C-alpha cells in the first residue's frame, strides 16, 4: 500500500524561471539513470524479493523515497517553467540572440505537459522500462543499484554546476546528499552479501562447476596495442575470492575453430555461390 503526503520530502523553491534548465533537469527525471529508473528498479526488486525480509524492507523504503524524488523534480521543472508562455517565447524570438537560446527549450513542456515535468529524458525520449534491472539475484541487483546511484549522482552534480540559481542548487544538494547515502547503503548490502555467499554471481554456480574452463577464469588477454593493462591488479593479483592468481597473457592466440557454416537453402535467397545443402 502507498500513501501520498502533500509535503515534499525537501523544499523545492527556485529563484527564477529557466526553461532551458527545465529541459536539462528532465535527464535526471526520466533519463536512463534518472529518478524514475531507480524508483522503478528498487520497487520491482522489492516486489519480487524472496530473500531475507530486511532486504525487501530496505528496497521498499528506498524505492518509495524515490517516488518522492520524482515528485520533487516535477515540482522543480514546473517552477522553472512558470512564466514560459507561448506569448513570452514569441516575444523573445524577436531578438535573434534570445531566439537562439530559446530554441533549445523543450517544446513538449508547452505542447504536451502544459508547463510540467515529463517522463522523458532531456531530448524528449520517453522513459523506458528496459532501463531497470530486477533479476531476483540480490547481489547482482545491489551492484546494479550502486551503478545507477553513481551515474545518477554524477549527472545531478553536473547539473548543479550548470546553474547559479541558489534555490535549484539547494534542492540539488539535498538530492546529492541522499544519493551519497544510497551509495553507502548499496555498498554495505553488497559487502554483507559477499561475506555470506562470495563475490561471484551467481554463488550457486561455483568455480568447480566450470571444470575444464578453470584457467580461463584467471587469464587477462592483451587484445589491444600496448601492454600497460598488465600493470593492474586485475592482471597480476589474486582473485577476490582467493581461488587463484591472475595471469597476464601478452600474446594470446585463439583456442577455437574457424566457423564453417553450411550453405542455406536457395529459398532463403542469400545469393551465394555454391550448391544448397541437402534438405
Amino acid at each position: 500500500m502507498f500513501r501520498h503526503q502533500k509535503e515534499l520530502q525537501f523544499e523545492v523553491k527556485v529563484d527564477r524561471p529557466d526553461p532551458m534548465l527545465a529541459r536539462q533537469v528532465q535527464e535526471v527525471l526520466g533519463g536512463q539513470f534518472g529518478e524514475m529508473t531507480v524508483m522503478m528498479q528498487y520497487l520491482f526488486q522489492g516486489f519480487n524479493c524472496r530473500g531475507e525480509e530486511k532486504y525487501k524492507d530496505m528496497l521498499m523504503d528506498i524505492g518509495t523515497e524515490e517516488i518522492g524524488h520524482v515528485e520533487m523534480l516535477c515540482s522543480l521543472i514546473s517552477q522553472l517553467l512558470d512564466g514560459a508562455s507561448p506569448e513570452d517565447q514569441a516575444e523573445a524570438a524577436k531578438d535573434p540572440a534570445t531566439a537562439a537560446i530559446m530554441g533549445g527549450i523543450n517544446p513538449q513542456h508547452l505542447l504536451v505537459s502544459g508547463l510540467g515535468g515529463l517522463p522523458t529524458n532531456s531530448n524528449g525520449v520517453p522513459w523506458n522500462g528496459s532501463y531497470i534491472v530486477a533479476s531476483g539475484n540480490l547481489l547482482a541487483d545491489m551492484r546494479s543499484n550502486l551503478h545507477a546511484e553513481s551515474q545518477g549522482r554524477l549527472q545531478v552534480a553536473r547539473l548543479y554546476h550548470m546553474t547559479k540559481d541558489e534555490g535549484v542548487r539547494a534542492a540539488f544538494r539535498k538530492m546529492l546528499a541522499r544519493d551519497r547515502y544510497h551509495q553507502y547503503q548499496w555498498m554495505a548490502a553488497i559487502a554483507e552479501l559477499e561475506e555470506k555467499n562470495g563475490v561471484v554471481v551467481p554463488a550457486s554456480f561455483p568455480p568447480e562447476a566450470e571444470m575444464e574452463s578453470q584457467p580461463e577464469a584467471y587469464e587477462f588477454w592483451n587484445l589491444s596495442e600496448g601492454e600497460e593493462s598488465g600493470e593492474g591488479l586485475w592482471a597480476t593479483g589474486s582473485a577476490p575470492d582467493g581461488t587463484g592468481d591472475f595471469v597476464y597473457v601478452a600474446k594470446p592466440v585463439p583456442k577455437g575453430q574457424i566457423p564453417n557454416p553450411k550453405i542455406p537453402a536457395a529459398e532463403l535467397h542469400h545469393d551465394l555461390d555454391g550448391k544448397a545443402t541437402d534438405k
Side-chain angles (χ1 to χ4, degrees):
M1 181 180 75
F2 292 90
R3 182 179 183 274
H4 178 260
Q5 290 186 210
K6 294 182 179 180
E7 299 87 355
L8 297 174
Q9 184 181 19
F10 301 108
E11 184 179 53
V12 176
K13 188 176 181 181
V14 308
D15 292 346
R16 64 190 64 85
D18 188 342
M20 279 290 293
L21 182 60
R23 175 177 180 171
Q24 294 158 355
V25 172
Q26 282 288 158
E27 191 63 35
V28 293
L29 172 59
Q32 181 179 1
F33 300 109
E35 296 294 335
M36 286 188 62
T37 293
V38 290
M39 172 188 76
M40 296 293 281
Q41 180 156 309
Y42 304 162
L43 288 177
F44 269 87
Q45 289 177 9
F47 293 149
N48 298 329
C49 185
R50 296 169 182 264
E52 292 184 45
E53 188 65 22
K54 68 176 181 180
Y55 296 117
K56 181 182 181 70
D57 198 32
M58 175 183 65
L59 287 164
M60 296 305 299
D61 284 339
I62 305 304
T64 304
E65 179 181 352
E66 301 295 1
I67 300 177
H69 291 182
V70 169
E71 184 178 28
M72 284 177 61
L73 287 176
C74 285
S75 178
L76 180 62
I77 289 170
S78 293
Q79 291 181 41
L80 289 170
L81 291 171
D82 282 345
S85 68
E87 292 78 13
D88 291 334
Q89 290 202 47
E91 182 65 27
K94 294 178 181 179
D95 175 69
T98 306
I101 297 172
M102 296 290 284
I105 294 175
N106 182 356
Q108 290 192 332
H109 279 155
L110 287 169
L111 302 174
V112 178
S113 66
L115 306 182
L118 293 158
T120 68
N121 69 11
S122 54
N123 283 327
V125 179
W127 183 83
N128 194 315
S130 65
Y131 293 160
I132 76 167
V133 174
S135 69
N137 182 289
L138 280 173
L139 180 53
D141 284 352
M142 298 302 178
R143 287 174 173 170
S144 294
N145 296 349
L146 178 58
H147 171 243
E149 288 287 351
S150 301
Q151 293 292 337
R153 189 171 190 270
L154 172 63
Q155 292 180 357
V156 174
R158 287 172 172 165
L159 276 171
Y160 182 87
H161 292 289
M162 291 169 67
T163 180
K164 300 299 183 182
D165 189 309
E166 179 55 29
V168 175
R169 283 188 157 197
F172 281 164
R173 284 195 293 270
K174 296 294 187 183
M175 296 186 67
L176 287 163
R178 292 305 296 164
D179 287 349
R180 178 156 58 95
Y181 169 69
H182 291 161
Q183 289 187 44
Y184 295 152
Q185 165 201 297
W186 301 128
M187 285 188 280
I190 289 168
E192 183 174 293
L193 290 165
E194 288 178 345
E195 180 67 25
K196 289 181 178 180
N197 300 318
V199 300
V200 178
V201 175
S204 54
F205 196 95
E208 307 84 67
E210 295 167 7
M211 300 174 69
E212 77 285 349
S213 298
Q214 282 294 304
E216 276 66 48
Y218 308 106
E219 292 179 347
F220 185 95
W221 285 28
N222 175 38
L223 294 171
S224 62
E225 186 174 355
E227 296 187 1
E228 288 80 2
S229 57
E231 300 170 4
L233 292 177
W234 52 82
T236 59
S238 296
D241 56 7
T243 57
D245 296 324
F246 297 134
V247 177
Y248 183 76
V249 183
K251 296 180 179 180
V253 296
K255 298 182 179 181
Q257 78 278 21
I258 297 175
N260 185 26
K262 295 181 179 181
I263 296 175
E267 290 83 356
L268 292 178
H269 304 287
H270 280 281
D271 295 332
L272 299 173
D273 293 331
K275 298 180 179 180
T277 56
D278 294 337
K279 295 181 180 179

